[in-house]
Amino acid sequence: MSGFSSSSVAGRDIVALEGVTKRFPGIVANDSVDLSIRPGEVHVLLGENGAGKSTLIGMLSGLQQPDEGRILVDGKPTPITSPRHALALGIGTVFQHMMLVPTLTVAENLLLGGPWWQRPRTEELAARVAEITGTLGITVKLQAKVSELSLGEQQQVEILRAMLRNSRLLILDESTSMLTPKGIDELGALMRRLVEQGLAIVFITHKLKEAAAFGDRISVLKLGRKVGEIPPERFRALGEQEIVAEIVELMFGKQKDDPEAVERPVRTARAGAAPLLQVADLAVAPTDNAPGLSSISFDIRPGEILGIAGIDGNGQKQLAEALAGQRTATSGSVRLDGAAIETLSVGERRRRGLRYLTDDRLGEGTVGTFPVSINFFLKQVGAAPFWRNGVEQRAEIDKRATQLVREYDVRTPSLKTPVARLSGGNIQKVLLARELAEGAKVVIFNKPTYGLDLANTLASRQRIRDTAARGLAVLLISTDLEELLGMCDRIAVIANGALVGTVENVDDARTKVGRLMIGLAA
Amino acid sequence: MTGLFSEVFLSALLFGAVTAAIPLLLAGLGEQISEKAGVLNIGIEGMMLAGAYLGFVGAFYSGSLWLGFLTGAAGGAAVALVMALLCVRIGLNQIVIGIALTLGLEGLTALLHHFQFSRSYPRLPAADATVIPLLSDIPVIGPAFFKHHLIVYLAVALVFGMGYIYRRTQLGLNLQAAGDKPAALDVAGIDVVRTRTIAVLTTGALAGLGGAYLANVGAGLFIPFITNGAGFLGIVLAMLARGRPIWVLFGALLFGVCLSLTTAMQVAGINIPTDIIQMLPFLAVMIMLVLFGRRASLPAALGIPYERGAR
């Protein structure tokens, strides 16, 4: 094996990944990823949520170990066994969530990790900090408590800490997600100065513009796989617009060997029919940790599938919850089959035929410790025929549950099995069975195939198509563009809580939707 | 009424207050270390009992109080080792294990005492006092504060020692990080589990020492359930002290006065039912909680087992 590493092209790499695979129960977070990290380069890792960026960082920083493949440091295969080991190898990480102790001062945080019997070397620290901050052009208040600093200042402290430990490789995990635009520009300038000093930087982001503006080399991750790389030579040759276009192609383009490849959607929309769901000017106020919605308007006709595309976290969940009645709308109207429902309760909307399949299957979708049978009827608890005078009718429940298990092909050991013990795909089937049951007119699917394996993904998609074919109106929210392109009649793109455009799903829809998603006009 | 305010009575009351405060002080300082590092140590009452029993046995058979303190501290640390294994290393629920340890040690120490001494309660000779020259001649205060066993002065010195460790040493930083943001300590290259284990073992040793003092110096004998909630008072003290050892000392003295009053008023023959007098310390706890409890700030990760890279 040693002969292999010396002959590899990665002679100049500080750190290289070779075929690294990491699995978590139910998902493959990284699938045979290769990566080469070199001094003097900002290597951008680009990908949506769930693309496997954070897992990759966890393995580089010693928090997790790869299941397959290997990591080379200075050309030698080196398992990174712990955070301490990563630091010793010169790999410093600035995590997405701040890793500073809020109750300690900046100086104390920087001193953390020294030998426990020593007195903290405050004077030595001050001298070294002055030296480093001088060359980087940043200022750091050593005596301030971390909890009093802005997020941008905290990040500078973390970068400074990595420098104090003589890091050769600095990993920045989603570092711009909590910064102001000014802070982002400052970080970009700081990264440039750091690589000019010979450091290697891995910069993780899901924002295309940052990748194009700050990077030297870009690797694109998609669903755990590396789908492409733009090396520095190409990077320099291309203009920013061309780079963005190329990344869009990598991120949203069709893979040739994609097993999920689907034929063109079957059109079942009934052109002349009146819309089943009409949403006009729907708005939701933003909260501390979620964006609001503004002036959302769309119609869905019977048999039609309307897709909602967008980068995760742009208001998709808020939209679904506002329609289902779980989130209070500040204005706007929602009409189901012509009747206004925006003031009705969650339960009443459901009774009128509006169904919502949550993406949070175990959290709000099911009660994990309850048996499969009861989970089929969670939204009918107390209602006849399954409950009479407040008493559970076990026979009725089991009879209907047996039918549903057969009809929806739920693989469960028994009706009494707690639903949390089933696989994600089978939990999804329980939810499908419950929400598509009698009386459904409009169904909202929120990320219906997220985290499912291929067989269950395909089954769920077929179930959604069948739903539309029955003449129901379907709203399909997904972050998987392939899925939307393979199923929808029209695709609307959501960004920052607003629909920025709606595209008919015809030949050039892929490019149009991709451009809308990253903030360019269609 | 004259008896209540006589010089002799007052200095006896304060002397008793200091004697009663020392076990609380040691328990409170011990609990404070664990809590700083993020471990809620409910088992401290059990650790004190183990210390009281083994401390008494050590002193009884060796005839040396100091050896008794040593066996007491070792006993407390041994119980803490169980806690560290179950709660820090394996990550079991700290409250459940803590209660189990306390109840288990209550039974175990009572049982062992019964096997060894049957129904008799042998006494240790009174502890030698280290009299501080000059200071002990001050009226009232002198005999109350400066005629104690040497370990009392050491316990008070420990308050300042702990303060120094928390504010001025690397170990202090590590402990606080382990309680406030263990992930930050981990990525800084320090083993969180080891840091917390050290903290819990120290807690056990200090609680055991407190128990040994209670039995050997305070009472001069061991009886089952002798700690009578002293460990729990220590938990209250640590929570109210907001990480400052000096506040543990003040709190311990306040509770000490209440406990001492209980005895003193009975001795002075004041006509109040003893049940009411014995409520005093616990009334003081409630009053202190109402006054200061809202401002008590606990470490963010208190009670949460640390698991690296959990997702």
Side-chain angles (χ1 to χ4, degrees):
Chain A
M1 289 299 273
S2 58
F4 176 76
S5 66
S6 60
S7 68
S8 83
V9 291
R12 289 170 33 220
D13 294 351
I14 289 185
V15 176
L17 304 188
E18 287 184 356
V20 165
T21 298
K22 177 75 185 174
R23 297 185 189 86
F24 289 106
I27 36 168
V28 182
N30 287 137
D31 188 358
S32 187
V33 174
D34 297 321
L35 214 59
S36 72
I37 301 164
R38 299 180 176 185
E41 271 184 23
V42 176
H43 190 148
V44 180
L45 280 184
L46 193 67
E48 295 187 59
N49 290 350
K53 294 168 295 179
S54 293
T55 309
L56 216 51
I57 296 328
M59 289 188 285
L60 281 174
S61 57
L63 288 169
Q64 286 152 355
Q65 269 65 47
D67 295 325
E68 282 164 33
R70 55 184 193 161
I71 301 175
L72 289 87
V73 180
D74 295 324
K76 286 193 289 287
T78 313
I80 303 174
T81 51
S82 70
R84 174 181 278 270
H85 188 202
L87 291 174
L89 292 167
I91 303 173
T93 310
V94 175
F95 289 92
Q96 183 176 4
H97 306 287
M98 294 296 168
M99 284 292 187
L100 297 172
V101 184
T103 52
L104 296 178
T105 66
V106 171
E108 287 170 332
N109 266 287
L110 293 174
L111 290 163
L112 208 57
W116 66 268
W117 61 88
Q118 257 176 19
R119 277 199 57 181
R121 300 185 170 167
T122 319
E123 299 77 19
E124 195 183 312
L125 176 81
R128 286 204 62 203
V129 166
E131 185 188 324
I132 293 171
T133 52
T135 62
L136 294 179
I138 54 174
T139 49
V140 167
K141 296 174 252 174
L142 280 179
Q143 294 315 317
K145 264 221 171 104
V146 164
S147 55
E148 294 159 2
L149 299 184
S150 74
L151 289 169
E153 288 172 311
Q154 291 187 27
Q155 198 165 62
Q156 291 186 345
V157 173
E158 296 218 47
I159 293 172
L160 176 61
R161 177 165 66 183
M163 301 310 298
L164 281 170
R165 295 200 180 120
N166 302 316
S167 297
R168 301 178 294 153
L169 164 59
L170 181 64
I171 302 170
L172 298 167
D173 187 7
E174 299 274 1
S175 294
T176 55
S177 57
M178 289 182 290
L179 298 184
T180 59
K182 182 164 168 285
I184 292 173
D185 290 342
E186 284 172 6
L187 180 67
L190 178 57
M191 285 197 292
R192 195 43 56 199
R193 285 195 292 273
L194 287 167
V195 291
E196 277 163 10
Q197 294 182 4
L199 208 76
I201 291 184
V202 172
F203 175 64
I204 291 100
T205 184
H206 59 253
K207 294 180 195 151
L208 267 167
K209 285 182 177 158
E210 289 170 9
F214 302 150
D216 293 308
R217 178 194 292 271
I218 295 182
S219 291
V220 180
L221 291 176
K222 187 176 172 183
L223 297 170
R225 275 169 292 179
K226 180 168 159 182
V227 294
E229 177 171 326
I230 304 178
E233 310 80 59
R234 265 186 72 67
F235 206 100
R236 278 190 290 273
L238 297 172
E240 188 170 320
Q241 283 306 312
E242 292 164 300
I243 291 171
V244 168
E246 182 156 345
I247 298 171
V248 169
E249 184 60 31
L250 286 172
M251 276 178 88
F252 306 115
K254 206 172 185 106
Q255 299 299 297
K256 287 176 190 67
D257 54 347
D258 194 341
E260 300 170 43
V262 268
E263 69 288 1
R264 289 240 63 85
V266 188
R267 303 288 173 163
T268 57
R270 295 166 196 180
L276 262 179
L277 184 70
Q278 294 167 284
V279 179
D281 287 324
L282 187 71
V284 166
T287 59
D288 290 343
N289 46 19
L293 297 175
S294 54
S295 56
I296 301 265
S297 302
F298 58 83
D299 294 344
I300 312 178
R301 286 162 296 167
E304 188 181 27
I305 303 179
L306 173 67
I308 301 284
I311 309 279
D312 207 7
N314 269 291
Q316 287 95 326
K317 193 169 181 72
Q318 287 72 24
L319 173 60
E321 291 183 352
L323 292 175
Q326 293 171 212
R327 195 175 278 267
T328 318
T330 45
S331 66
S333 71
V334 182
R335 287 175 172 275
L336 177 70
D337 215 358
I341 58 165
E342 65 266 11
T343 55
L344 300 181
S345 68
V346 178
E348 187 55 33
R349 290 187 205 204
R350 180 185 155 83
R351 267 188 292 283
R352 302 231 181 156
L354 181 77
R355 303 293 160 82
Y356 167 42
L357 253 98
T358 175
D359 58 335
D360 184 9
R361 291 170 206 140
L362 265 177
E364 66 168 85
T366 53
V367 180
T369 52
F370 281 11
V372 170
S373 58
I374 299 291
N375 270 292
F376 279 127
F377 309 109
L378 271 189
K379 295 194 175 173
Q380 286 141 278
V381 168
F386 307 116
W387 276 264
R388 287 185 202 282
N389 303 323
V391 178
E392 188 178 301
Q393 303 298 308
R394 190 67 57 81
E396 285 287 341
I397 288 176
D398 285 356
K399 196 174 91 194
R400 181 79 180 112
T402 311
Q403 277 174 16
L404 288 173
V405 163
R406 200 177 319 121
E407 200 176 317
Y408 284 84
D409 189 28
V410 183
R411 311 275 166 85
T412 173
S414 84
L415 288 178
K416 294 192 169 50
T417 308
V419 80
R421 288 224 220 114
L422 304 189
S423 70
N426 282 305
I427 295 174
Q428 180 71 330
K429 288 177 189 166
V430 172
L431 282 179
L432 282 165
R434 185 174 79 204
E435 299 305 332
L436 299 180
E438 52 281 336
K441 287 180 185 163
V442 175
V443 189
I444 304 159
F445 294 93
N446 193 1
K447 294 197 271 181
T449 59
Y450 176 75
L452 301 187
D453 62 17
L454 187 60
N456 279 310
T457 298
L458 297 180
S460 292
R461 287 183 185 157
Q462 191 52 47
R463 192 66 72 177
I464 295 168
R465 284 196 199 91
D466 295 347
T467 306
R470 273 162 57 199
L472 277 65
V474 172
L475 183 69
L476 174 58
I477 301 173
S478 178
T479 50
D480 183 349
L481 192 51
E482 293 308 321
E483 178 166 284
L484 295 171
L485 288 167
M487 299 181 64
C488 298
D489 297 283
R490 287 177 298 145
I491 299 172
V493 177
I494 192 167
N496 287 322
L499 294 186
V500 292
T502 306
V503 175
E504 286 291 333
N505 189 8
V506 287
D507 298 332
D508 58 346
R510 176 189 307 279
T511 329
K512 284 184 174 174
V513 172
R515 291 172 66 82
L516 280 169
M517 280 171 76
I518 57 165
L520 304 170
Chain B
M1 288 300 276
T2 49
L4 191 56
F5 295 105
S6 73
E7 224 174 79
V8 179
F9 178 84
L10 266 182
S11 74
L13 175 75
L14 290 175
F15 183 89
V18 172
T19 309
I22 293 303
L24 302 181
L25 173 65
L26 289 167
L29 287 177
E31 181 72 23
Q32 192 165 46
I33 300 173
S34 275
E35 287 187 10
K36 236 186 211 307
V39 181
L40 184 62
N41 196 337
I42 303 274
I44 193 166
E45 177 84 2
M47 295 170 198
M48 283 192 91
L49 268 174
Y53 175 70
L54 286 176
F56 173 77
V57 170
F60 183 74
Y61 287 112
S62 72
S64 157
L65 271 188
W66 286 103
L67 207 71
F69 291 142
L70 199 70
T71 53
V79 179
L81 187 65
V82 178
M83 170 119 195
L85 283 176
L86 295 179
C87 297
V88 178
R89 203 156 280 274
I90 305 180
L92 300 184
N93 187 300
Q94 296 168 6
I95 294 176
V96 173
I97 298 299
I99 290 174
L101 284 178
T102 294
L103 293 178
L105 264 300
E106 280 181 355
L108 187 64
T109 50
L111 189 73
L112 288 174
H113 180 267
H114 180 76
F115 276 140
Q116 220 159 353
F117 302 105
S118 192
R119 291 273 159 79
S120 70
Y121 298 98
R123 279 193 164 272
L124 294 175
D128 303 327
T130 304
V131 177
I132 308 233
L134 297 178
L135 288 176
S136 58
D137 298 333
I138 304 171
V140 184
I141 300 201
F145 291 106
F146 301 107
K147 283 184 176 172
H148 283 278
H149 190 269
L150 183 57
I151 196 114
V152 171
Y153 309 118
L154 293 178
V156 175
L158 186 65
V159 172
F160 300 97
M162 298 308 294
Y164 180 82
I165 287 175
Y166 292 149
R167 261 179 306 166
R168 294 259 182 267
T169 70
Q170 195 72 48
L171 179 64
L173 293 183
N174 292 355
L175 286 171
Q176 184 161 351
D180 274 327
K181 191 132 190 180
L185 185 66
D186 195 13
V187 297
I190 302 283
D191 193 330
V192 175
V193 168
R194 188 178 304 166
T195 307
R196 287 183 166 181
T197 302
I198 291 168
V200 170
L201 290 180
T202 312
T203 303
L206 287 180
L209 186 62
Y213 177 89
L214 185 67
N216 295 356
V217 181
L221 54 81
F222 179 85
I223 49 171
F225 312 110
I226 186 172
T227 50
N228 193 22
F232 293 121
L233 285 176
I235 295 174
V236 173
L237 285 175
M239 287 195 159
L240 291 176
R242 276 182 282 167
R244 305 264 314 270
I246 193 79
W247 285 103
V248 179
L249 177 63
F250 292 150
L253 283 174
L254 180 68
F255 286 145
V257 169
C258 294
L259 287 166
S260 178
L261 260 181
T262 319
T263 338
M265 287 172 100
Q266 289 173 54
V267 172
I270 290 168
N271 197 13
I272 303 174
T274 51
D275 297 326
I276 289 182
I277 296 173
Q278 281 172 347
M279 274 166 41
L280 261 179
F282 303 97
L283 204 62
V285 168
M286 282 189 258
I287 291 169
M288 274 181 75
L289 277 174
V290 169
L291 290 180
F292 306 113
R294 216 171 304 163
R295 285 194 289 155
S297 70
L298 297 173
L302 184 63
I304 305 165
Y306 180 67
E307 190 188 343
R308 177 183 287 171
R311 52 179 280 165

